[in-house]
Amino acid sequence: MMTKVMRSGMLGLVGLLLTAAGAQAGGLYLYEVGSPDVGLAAAGYAARAKDASTAFTNPAGMTRLKQPSLLAGAQPMYIHMDFSADGNTTARGDSGDANGWMPAGGLFYVHPVNDRLALGVAMTGYFGLALDYQDDWVGRYYVQEVALQAAGIQPAIAWKINDQWSVGAGVAVLYGILEEKMAVNNVDPRDGDGKLELDDEDWTVQYNLGVLYEPVKGTRLGLTYLSAADLDFSDQAKLSGIGSGLSHLLNGGRKIDLGMTMPQAVMFSVYHDVNERLAIMANLGWQDWSEFGKVDVSVSSADVNASLTTDMDYNDTWHVALGAQYRVAEPWQLSAGIAYDSSMLDKDAVVPALPVGECWRFGLGSRYAWSQELTLGAAYELAWGGDLDMDVERGPLAGRVSGTYENVAIHFVSLNAEWRF
């Protein structure tokens, strides 16, 4: 029985490591990093290169900034995820939700050394989100709380080869955290639910390479490559509230090791000035989530020592975006964008720790030039996943959970300020 409990915990944690955290289709990578790109639904991500956030979105774009620039952005996000169970559900509990606010943002600095060389740094969290269900919801034996997040600092360098070509590179040092909680269904119902908890942290390095090409003034093509990076988590399973029917099987607990790969990603963007007021931009992106679906899992204790590599058969994802910026008057600029991300999961593969499907993004934003040195910005983006059906069954301990996540969405609010020195 304890083997089944721990297997349930392992599978729940694997689900965590593969989670796309709500409506964030395409996986755990975020295009929203506290920059003005939020108001464009990320359109022009690798080619816009008009503020210090280019230190992250395309390091090569730093050569376009003629004076030192600091961009700071606050970006709270609200996750809306309501689950309604249907009549096929056998697990005890209530329909649940994982609604709530999360803090986010970014800080970016670019320093032109001379006409050809620029240095920069980016500090932001662009990987991961979190879900927090109620303790008594029907899927609590699959997951109650999950969090997989990584934030870091990325120094970058850029070199202008000639008037048309620039190249750049950054090395991101990332700090990753993993937290997971799930209920344990005790053999004797009178004992109530127990709890399994796992948490760990790890460091990793990821490379960010970029090229920017400007064939004619006002038209730019950008290409970036984000390398794969490994995160390895390890923790002693913490169990509490375990009834007498299971306590004699603990044997000192279990150590669980999980290894996963943050996938490589490619983004191609185009930016074009139609005239002095209007600019249009577009993206085409790819992310290697099929590799992310291969997770190394091992469990060890006094009486168990097992390891396996699980291939969840995930899909690589594609991203397309289209956006525009329009200068209404000298101090005011408006932006709008729309984007689409395909799903890393087939429709029949949705699980409580991975409620994800295809996603549409709609962004609106504005920037106000307060002075020659200071520009203020605000933006809103809706990441819309719609309804997601789910039907999972993992034996008598977890039960069957069937129903629909209704109107899955993430609301991003971005406030930023850029200072030029």
Side-chain angles (χ1 to χ4, degrees):
M1 180 66 70
M2 191 62 230
T3 300
K4 291 182 178 180
V5 173
M6 293 309 302
R7 182 175 181 270
S8 180
M10 288 170 59
L11 291 174
L13 189 55
V14 170
L16 163 65
L17 290 174
L18 303 175
T19 187
Q24 204 58 34
L28 291 141
Y29 284 136
L30 300 176
Y31 309 118
E32 300 80 9
V33 292
S35 72
D37 291 317
V38 173
L40 291 160
Y45 189 84
R48 195 172 59 85
K50 282 194 171 184
D51 55 63
S53 66
T54 191
F56 177 76
T57 60
N58 185 348
M62 295 191 298
T63 61
R64 297 196 69 254
L65 304 187
K66 303 307 180 184
Q67 58 191 111
S69 177
L70 174 69
L71 176 70
Q75 183 189 276
M77 62 184 77
Y78 181 79
I79 301 174
H80 179 272
M81 189 173 300
D82 287 328
F83 178 76
S84 296
D86 61 27
N88 294 320
T89 296
T90 61
R92 296 177 288 108
D94 300 324
S95 294
D97 68 70
N99 301 334
W101 286 94
M102 286 188 61
L107 185 66
F108 313 90
Y109 176 72
V110 172
H111 184 84
V113 177
N114 53 44
D115 290 342
R116 291 185 177 271
L117 177 65
L119 303 176
V121 64
M123 291 180 284
T124 187
Y126 59 92
F127 184 81
L129 280 175
L131 299 175
D132 186 358
Y133 295 95
Q134 291 84 5
D135 288 346
D136 60 349
W137 87 293
V138 291
R140 63 190 179 279
Y141 302 125
Y142 293 83
V143 64
Q144 288 176 319
E145 297 180 27
V146 296
L148 175 61
Q149 297 173 297
I153 181 170
Q154 178 205 273
I157 185 171
W159 178 258
K160 186 175 182 179
I161 299 173
N162 53 41
D163 289 341
Q164 294 181 319
W165 290 94
S166 294
V167 295
V171 180
V173 180
L174 293 173
Y175 171 69
I177 62 169
L178 167 67
E179 296 178 357
E180 196 253 2
K181 297 179 182 179
M182 61 184 297
V184 176
N185 194 356
N186 281 310
V187 175
D188 189 342
R190 294 174 297 180
D191 292 328
D193 290 338
K195 180 169 288 187
L196 182 149
E197 300 180 49
L198 295 151
D199 63 82
D200 194 27
E201 56 193 40
D202 192 28
W203 292 86
T204 191
V205 173
Q206 192 170 40
Y207 302 100
N208 186 3
L209 309 178
V211 177
L212 190 69
Y213 174 58
E214 188 170 10
V216 295
K217 186 177 180 180
T219 299
R220 296 187 291 278
L221 288 75
L223 180 67
T224 60
Y225 170 74
L226 198 62
S227 73
D230 294 328
L231 283 171
D232 297 305
F233 297 108
S234 178
D235 187 37
Q236 194 82 10
K238 305 175 187 68
L239 290 118
S240 59
I242 302 301
S244 58
L246 294 177
S247 59
H248 69 286
L249 297 174
L250 290 177
N251 294 330
R254 301 287 194 274
K255 182 180 180 182
I256 298 181
D257 299 300
L258 293 106
M260 48 81 69
T261 299
M262 295 169 57
Q264 60 183 337
V266 177
M267 179 72 82
F268 173 72
S269 300
V270 178
Y271 174 94
H272 176 65
D273 284 322
V274 178
N275 52 45
E276 292 182 355
R277 289 180 176 268
L278 177 65
I280 58 175
M281 54 215 78
N283 291 344
L284 176 62
W286 170 82
Q287 296 178 357
D288 188 16
W289 290 104
S290 59
E291 185 64 26
F292 181 66
K294 300 172 183 177
V295 178
D296 297 323
V297 185
S298 66
V299 180
S300 59
S301 69
D303 59 343
V304 175
N305 191 355
S307 62
L308 58 94
T309 298
T310 302
D311 189 347
M312 307 299 289
D313 196 25
Y314 282 4
N315 305 314
D316 291 345
T317 61
W318 291 92
H319 161 86
V320 293
L322 181 64
Q325 289 181 323
Y326 184 74
R327 187 166 295 282
V328 181
E330 184 56 34
W332 284 101
Q333 184 181 63
L334 303 181
S335 62
I338 183 172
Y340 170 79
D341 287 83
S342 64
S343 176
M344 62 192 291
L345 286 181
D346 295 331
K347 290 184 178 180
D348 60 354
V350 175
V351 294
L354 188 56
V356 62
E358 62 183 9
C359 179
W360 287 90
R361 285 176 167 82
F362 306 92
L364 292 172
S366 66
R367 301 197 79 195
Y368 179 78
W370 183 275
S371 66
Q372 290 185 345
E373 294 79 24
L374 175 63
T375 300
L376 305 177
Y380 167 77
E381 182 188 283
L382 169 66
W384 178 255
D387 293 345
L388 297 174
D389 294 329
M390 182 181 72
D391 191 349
V392 293
E393 186 170 9
R394 197 186 294 157
L397 284 177
R400 182 179 181 182
V401 179
S402 176
T404 301
Y405 288 94
E406 299 176 345
N407 300 322
V408 174
I410 301 180
H411 303 268
F412 296 91
V413 179
S414 178
L415 300 173
N416 54 76
E418 183 179 23
W419 292 268
R420 292 169 292 276
F421 308 101

PDB file of all heavy atoms in Angstrom, residues 257-280:
ATOM      1  N   ASP A 257      14.201  11.665  -6.298  1.00  0.00           N
ATOM      2  CA  ASP A 257      15.046  12.477  -7.168  1.00  0.00           C
ATOM      3  C   ASP A 257      14.360  12.634  -8.516  1.00  0.00           C
ATOM      4  O   ASP A 257      13.881  11.651  -9.084  1.00  0.00           O
ATOM      5  CB  ASP A 257      16.425  11.830  -7.373  1.00  0.00           C
ATOM      6  CG  ASP A 257      17.179  11.664  -6.068  1.00  0.00           C
ATOM      7  OD1 ASP A 257      17.432  12.668  -5.400  1.00  0.00           O
ATOM      8  OD2 ASP A 257      17.497  10.514  -5.717  1.00  0.00           O
ATOM      9  N   LEU A 258      14.324  13.861  -9.011  1.00  0.00           N
ATOM     10  CA  LEU A 258      13.757  14.126 -10.323  1.00  0.00           C
ATOM     11  C   LEU A 258      14.683  15.027 -11.117  1.00  0.00           C
ATOM     12  O   LEU A 258      15.176  16.028 -10.603  1.00  0.00           O
ATOM     13  CB  LEU A 258      12.375  14.789 -10.201  1.00  0.00           C
ATOM     14  CG  LEU A 258      11.299  13.891  -9.604  1.00  0.00           C
ATOM     15  CD1 LEU A 258      10.999  14.339  -8.183  1.00  0.00           C
ATOM     16  CD2 LEU A 258      10.027  13.917 -10.433  1.00  0.00           C
ATOM     17  N   GLY A 259      14.893  14.658 -12.358  1.00  0.00           N
ATOM     18  CA  GLY A 259      15.702  15.465 -13.262  1.00  0.00           C
ATOM     19  C   GLY A 259      14.884  15.837 -14.489  1.00  0.00           C
ATOM     20  O   GLY A 259      14.230  14.982 -15.087  1.00  0.00           O
ATOM     21  N   MET A 260      14.879  17.126 -14.840  1.00  0.00           N
ATOM     22  CA  MET A 260      14.116  17.566 -15.986  1.00  0.00           C
ATOM     23  C   MET A 260      14.919  18.606 -16.757  1.00  0.00           C
ATOM     24  O   MET A 260      15.877  19.184 -16.249  1.00  0.00           O
ATOM     25  CB  MET A 260      12.758  18.142 -15.561  1.00  0.00           C
ATOM     26  CG  MET A 260      12.803  19.150 -14.431  1.00  0.00           C
ATOM     27  SD  MET A 260      13.256  20.830 -14.918  1.00  0.00           S
ATOM     28  CE  MET A 260      11.800  21.250 -15.850  1.00  0.00           C
ATOM     29  N   THR A 261      14.519  18.818 -18.012  1.00  0.00           N
ATOM     30  CA  THR A 261      15.237  19.710 -18.906  1.00  0.00           C
ATOM     31  C   THR A 261      14.357  20.892 -19.299  1.00  0.00           C
ATOM     32  O   THR A 261      13.274  20.691 -19.864  1.00  0.00           O
ATOM     33  CB  THR A 261      15.694  18.970 -20.183  1.00  0.00           C
ATOM     34  OG1 THR A 261      16.572  17.905 -19.815  1.00  0.00           O
ATOM     35  CG2 THR A 261      16.416  19.917 -21.123  1.00  0.00           C
ATOM     36  N   MET A 262      14.811  22.104 -18.970  1.00  0.00           N
ATOM     37  CA  MET A 262      14.174  23.289 -19.534  1.00  0.00           C
ATOM     38  C   MET A 262      14.487  23.279 -21.027  1.00  0.00           C
ATOM     39  O   MET A 262      15.649  23.219 -21.418  1.00  0.00           O
ATOM     40  CB  MET A 262      14.719  24.550 -18.866  1.00  0.00           C
ATOM     41  CG  MET A 262      14.390  24.655 -17.387  1.00  0.00           C
ATOM     42  SD  MET A 262      15.294  25.994 -16.532  1.00  0.00           S
ATOM     43  CE  MET A 262      14.804  27.426 -17.485  1.00  0.00           C
ATOM     44  N   PRO A 263      13.479  23.330 -21.890  1.00  0.00           N
ATOM     45  CA  PRO A 263      13.718  23.074 -23.313  1.00  0.00           C
ATOM     46  C   PRO A 263      14.386  24.222 -24.053  1.00  0.00           C
ATOM     47  O   PRO A 263      14.307  25.383 -23.650  1.00  0.00           O
ATOM     48  CB  PRO A 263      12.303  22.835 -23.862  1.00  0.00           C
ATOM     49  CG  PRO A 263      11.434  23.635 -22.965  1.00  0.00           C
ATOM     50  CD  PRO A 263      12.047  23.535 -21.606  1.00  0.00           C
ATOM     51  N   GLN A 264      15.034  23.877 -25.146  1.00  0.00           N
ATOM     52  CA  GLN A 264      15.554  24.893 -26.036  1.00  0.00           C
ATOM     53  C   GLN A 264      14.392  25.570 -26.770  1.00  0.00           C
ATOM     54  O   GLN A 264      13.320  24.986 -26.937  1.00  0.00           O
ATOM     55  CB  GLN A 264      16.525  24.278 -27.039  1.00  0.00           C
ATOM     56  CG  GLN A 264      15.910  23.203 -27.905  1.00  0.00           C
ATOM     57  CD  GLN A 264      16.910  22.558 -28.841  1.00  0.00           C
ATOM     58  OE1 GLN A 264      17.941  23.145 -29.171  1.00  0.00           O
ATOM     59  NE2 GLN A 264      16.613  21.355 -29.297  1.00  0.00           N
ATOM     60  N   ALA A 265      14.609  26.819 -27.165  1.00  0.00           N
ATOM     61  CA  ALA A 265      13.551  27.581 -27.817  1.00  0.00           C
ATOM     62  C   ALA A 265      14.158  28.529 -28.843  1.00  0.00           C
ATOM     63  O   ALA A 265      15.266  29.043 -28.662  1.00  0.00           O
ATOM     64  CB  ALA A 265      12.743  28.373 -26.782  1.00  0.00           C
ATOM     65  N   VAL A 266      13.419  28.737 -29.930  1.00  0.00           N
ATOM     66  CA  VAL A 266      13.851  29.633 -31.005  1.00  0.00           C
ATOM     67  C   VAL A 266      12.749  30.646 -31.256  1.00  0.00           C
ATOM     68  O   VAL A 266      11.560  30.298 -31.279  1.00  0.00           O
ATOM     69  CB  VAL A 266      14.152  28.854 -32.302  1.00  0.00           C
ATOM     70  CG1 VAL A 266      14.527  29.821 -33.426  1.00  0.00           C
ATOM     71  CG2 VAL A 266      15.269  27.844 -32.074  1.00  0.00           C
ATOM     72  N   MET A 267      13.115  31.917 -31.432  1.00  0.00           N
ATOM     73  CA  MET A 267      12.147  32.967 -31.759  1.00  0.00           C
ATOM     74  C   MET A 267      12.670  33.803 -32.923  1.00  0.00           C
ATOM     75  O   MET A 267      13.809  34.290 -32.894  1.00  0.00           O
ATOM     76  CB  MET A 267      11.900  33.868 -30.554  1.00  0.00           C
ATOM     77  CG  MET A 267      10.921  35.010 -30.818  1.00  0.00           C
ATOM     78  SD  MET A 267       9.211  34.466 -30.972  1.00  0.00           S
ATOM     79  CE  MET A 267       8.778  34.355 -29.219  1.00  0.00           C
ATOM     80  N   PHE A 268      11.829  33.953 -33.949  1.00  0.00           N
ATOM     81  CA  PHE A 268      12.133  34.817 -35.091  1.00  0.00           C
ATOM     82  C   PHE A 268      11.110  35.942 -35.107  1.00  0.00           C
ATOM     83  O   PHE A 268       9.900  35.694 -35.041  1.00  0.00           O
ATOM     84  CB  PHE A 268      12.079  34.043 -36.402  1.00  0.00           C
ATOM     85  CG  PHE A 268      12.213  34.912 -37.625  1.00  0.00           C
ATOM     86  CD1 PHE A 268      13.431  35.486 -37.956  1.00  0.00           C
ATOM     87  CD2 PHE A 268      11.113  35.165 -38.440  1.00  0.00           C
ATOM     88  CE1 PHE A 268      13.558  36.296 -39.078  1.00  0.00           C
ATOM     89  CE2 PHE A 268      11.226  35.969 -39.562  1.00  0.00           C
ATOM     90  CZ  PHE A 268      12.460  36.537 -39.882  1.00  0.00           C
ATOM     91  N   SER A 269      11.577  37.188 -35.185  1.00  0.00           N
ATOM     92  CA  SER A 269      10.682  38.344 -35.151  1.00  0.00           C
ATOM     93  C   SER A 269      11.024  39.325 -36.262  1.00  0.00           C
ATOM     94  O   SER A 269      12.185  39.418 -36.704  1.00  0.00           O
ATOM     95  CB  SER A 269      10.769  39.062 -33.805  1.00  0.00           C
ATOM     96  OG  SER A 269      10.412  38.215 -32.734  1.00  0.00           O
ATOM     97  N   VAL A 270      10.002  40.086 -36.676  1.00  0.00           N
ATOM     98  CA  VAL A 270      10.152  41.125 -37.691  1.00  0.00           C
ATOM     99  C   VAL A 270       9.554  42.417 -37.145  1.00  0.00           C
ATOM    100  O   VAL A 270       8.482  42.401 -36.528  1.00  0.00           O
ATOM    101  CB  VAL A 270       9.436  40.733 -39.001  1.00  0.00           C
ATOM    102  CG1 VAL A 270       9.564  41.861 -40.022  1.00  0.00           C
ATOM    103  CG2 VAL A 270      10.004  39.443 -39.559  1.00  0.00           C
ATOM    104  N   TYR A 271      10.233  43.521 -37.384  1.00  0.00           N
ATOM    105  CA  TYR A 271       9.743  44.851 -37.015  1.00  0.00           C
ATOM    106  C   TYR A 271       9.857  45.753 -38.227  1.00  0.00           C
ATOM    107  O   TYR A 271      10.870  45.752 -38.937  1.00  0.00           O
ATOM    108  CB  TYR A 271      10.572  45.421 -35.859  1.00  0.00           C
ATOM    109  CG  TYR A 271      10.223  46.853 -35.505  1.00  0.00           C
ATOM    110  CD1 TYR A 271       9.309  47.122 -34.494  1.00  0.00           C
ATOM    111  CD2 TYR A 271      10.795  47.924 -36.196  1.00  0.00           C
ATOM    112  CE1 TYR A 271       8.977  48.436 -34.170  1.00  0.00           C
ATOM    113  CE2 TYR A 271      10.475  49.236 -35.880  1.00  0.00           C
ATOM    114  CZ  TYR A 271       9.556  49.481 -34.870  1.00  0.00           C
ATOM    115  OH  TYR A 271       9.228  50.768 -34.555  1.00  0.00           O
ATOM    116  N   HIS A 272       8.801  46.559 -38.489  1.00  0.00           N
ATOM    117  CA  HIS A 272       8.835  47.458 -39.653  1.00  0.00           C
ATOM    118  C   HIS A 272       8.113  48.762 -39.341  1.00  0.00           C
ATOM    119  O   HIS A 272       6.961  48.757 -38.895  1.00  0.00           O
ATOM    120  CB  HIS A 272       8.172  46.798 -40.862  1.00  0.00           C
ATOM    121  CG  HIS A 272       8.077  47.696 -42.063  1.00  0.00           C
ATOM    122  ND1 HIS A 272       9.184  48.161 -42.733  1.00  0.00           N
ATOM    123  CD2 HIS A 272       6.998  48.234 -42.697  1.00  0.00           C
ATOM    124  CE1 HIS A 272       8.807  48.933 -43.738  1.00  0.00           C
ATOM    125  NE2 HIS A 272       7.481  48.996 -43.745  1.00  0.00           N
ATOM    126  N   ASP A 273       8.812  49.899 -39.573  1.00  0.00           N
ATOM    127  CA  ASP A 273       8.206  51.219 -39.460  1.00  0.00           C
ATOM    128  C   ASP A 273       7.460  51.517 -40.751  1.00  0.00           C
ATOM    129  O   ASP A 273       8.080  51.710 -41.810  1.00  0.00           O
ATOM    130  CB  ASP A 273       9.280  52.287 -39.222  1.00  0.00           C
ATOM    131  CG  ASP A 273       9.809  52.281 -37.801  1.00  0.00           C
ATOM    132  OD1 ASP A 273       9.009  52.060 -36.869  1.00  0.00           O
ATOM    133  OD2 ASP A 273      11.027  52.480 -37.624  1.00  0.00           O
ATOM    134  N   VAL A 274       6.125  51.567 -40.667  1.00  0.00           N
ATOM    135  CA  VAL A 274       5.331  51.905 -41.843  1.00  0.00           C
ATOM    136  C   VAL A 274       5.497  53.380 -42.183  1.00  0.00           C
ATOM    137  O   VAL A 274       5.654  53.770 -43.349  1.00  0.00           O
ATOM    138  CB  VAL A 274       3.847  51.561 -41.608  1.00  0.00           C
ATOM    139  CG1 VAL A 274       2.999  51.963 -42.810  1.00  0.00           C
ATOM    140  CG2 VAL A 274       3.694  50.076 -41.316  1.00  0.00           C
ATOM    141  N   ASN A 275       5.454  54.216 -41.149  1.00  0.00           N
ATOM    142  CA  ASN A 275       5.713  55.647 -41.293  1.00  0.00           C
ATOM    143  C   ASN A 275       6.190  56.167 -39.941  1.00  0.00           C
ATOM    144  O   ASN A 275       6.526  55.374 -39.045  1.00  0.00           O
ATOM    145  CB  ASN A 275       4.465  56.396 -41.797  1.00  0.00           C
ATOM    146  CG  ASN A 275       3.230  56.104 -40.955  1.00  0.00           C
ATOM    147  OD1 ASN A 275       3.288  56.110 -39.720  1.00  0.00           O
ATOM    148  ND2 ASN A 275       2.113  55.841 -41.626  1.00  0.00           N
ATOM    149  N   GLU A 276       6.196  57.483 -39.757  1.00  0.00           N
ATOM    150  CA  GLU A 276       6.713  58.043 -38.515  1.00  0.00           C
ATOM    151  C   GLU A 276       5.833  57.733 -37.314  1.00  0.00           C
ATOM    152  O   GLU A 276       6.286  57.809 -36.169  1.00  0.00           O
ATOM    153  CB  GLU A 276       6.864  59.563 -38.666  1.00  0.00           C
ATOM    154  CG  GLU A 276       7.959  59.966 -39.654  1.00  0.00           C
ATOM    155  CD  GLU A 276       8.115  61.471 -39.734  1.00  0.00           C
ATOM    156  OE1 GLU A 276       7.298  62.177 -39.093  1.00  0.00           O
ATOM    157  OE2 GLU A 276       9.053  61.945 -40.398  1.00  0.00           O
ATOM    158  N   ARG A 277       4.560  57.383 -37.557  1.00  0.00           N
ATOM    159  CA  ARG A 277       3.635  57.125 -36.463  1.00  0.00           C
ATOM    160  C   ARG A 277       3.390  55.634 -36.215  1.00  0.00           C
ATOM    161  O   ARG A 277       3.214  55.215 -35.067  1.00  0.00           O
ATOM    162  CB  ARG A 277       2.287  57.802 -36.739  1.00  0.00           C
ATOM    163  CG  ARG A 277       2.315  59.317 -36.621  1.00  0.00           C
ATOM    164  CD  ARG A 277       0.938  59.883 -36.919  1.00  0.00           C
ATOM    165  NE  ARG A 277       0.887  61.331 -36.737  1.00  0.00           N
ATOM    166  CZ  ARG A 277       0.548  61.928 -35.616  1.00  0.00           C
ATOM    167  NH1 ARG A 277       0.212  61.208 -34.556  1.00  0.00           N
ATOM    168  NH2 ARG A 277       0.513  63.245 -35.528  1.00  0.00           N
ATOM    169  N   LEU A 278       3.358  54.847 -37.279  1.00  0.00           N
ATOM    170  CA  LEU A 278       2.895  53.455 -37.199  1.00  0.00           C
ATOM    171  C   LEU A 278       4.033  52.467 -37.442  1.00  0.00           C
ATOM    172  O   LEU A 278       4.820  52.620 -38.384  1.00  0.00           O
ATOM    173  CB  LEU A 278       1.787  53.213 -38.221  1.00  0.00           C
ATOM    174  CG  LEU A 278       1.243  51.784 -38.320  1.00  0.00           C
ATOM    175  CD1 LEU A 278       0.554  51.379 -37.017  1.00  0.00           C
ATOM    176  CD2 LEU A 278       0.277  51.657 -39.501  1.00  0.00           C
ATOM    177  N   ALA A 279       4.092  51.447 -36.581  1.00  0.00           N
ATOM    178  CA  ALA A 279       5.027  50.333 -36.755  1.00  0.00           C
ATOM    179  C   ALA A 279       4.271  49.026 -36.574  1.00  0.00           C
ATOM    180  O   ALA A 279       3.368  48.926 -35.735  1.00  0.00           O
ATOM    181  CB  ALA A 279       6.176  50.420 -35.758  1.00  0.00           C
ATOM    182  N   ILE A 280       4.614  48.012 -37.369  1.00  0.00           N
ATOM    183  CA  ILE A 280       4.007  46.690 -37.251  1.00  0.00           C
ATOM    184  C   ILE A 280       5.104  45.669 -36.987  1.00  0.00           C
ATOM    185  O   ILE A 280       6.269  45.878 -37.339  1.00  0.00           O
ATOM    186  CB  ILE A 280       3.207  46.307 -38.517  1.00  0.00           C
ATOM    187  CG1 ILE A 280       4.103  46.336 -39.756  1.00  0.00           C
ATOM    188  CG2 ILE A 280       1.994  47.214 -38.681  1.00  0.00           C
ATOM    189  CD1 ILE A 280       3.411  45.852 -41.021  1.00  0.00           C
TER     190      ILE A 280
END
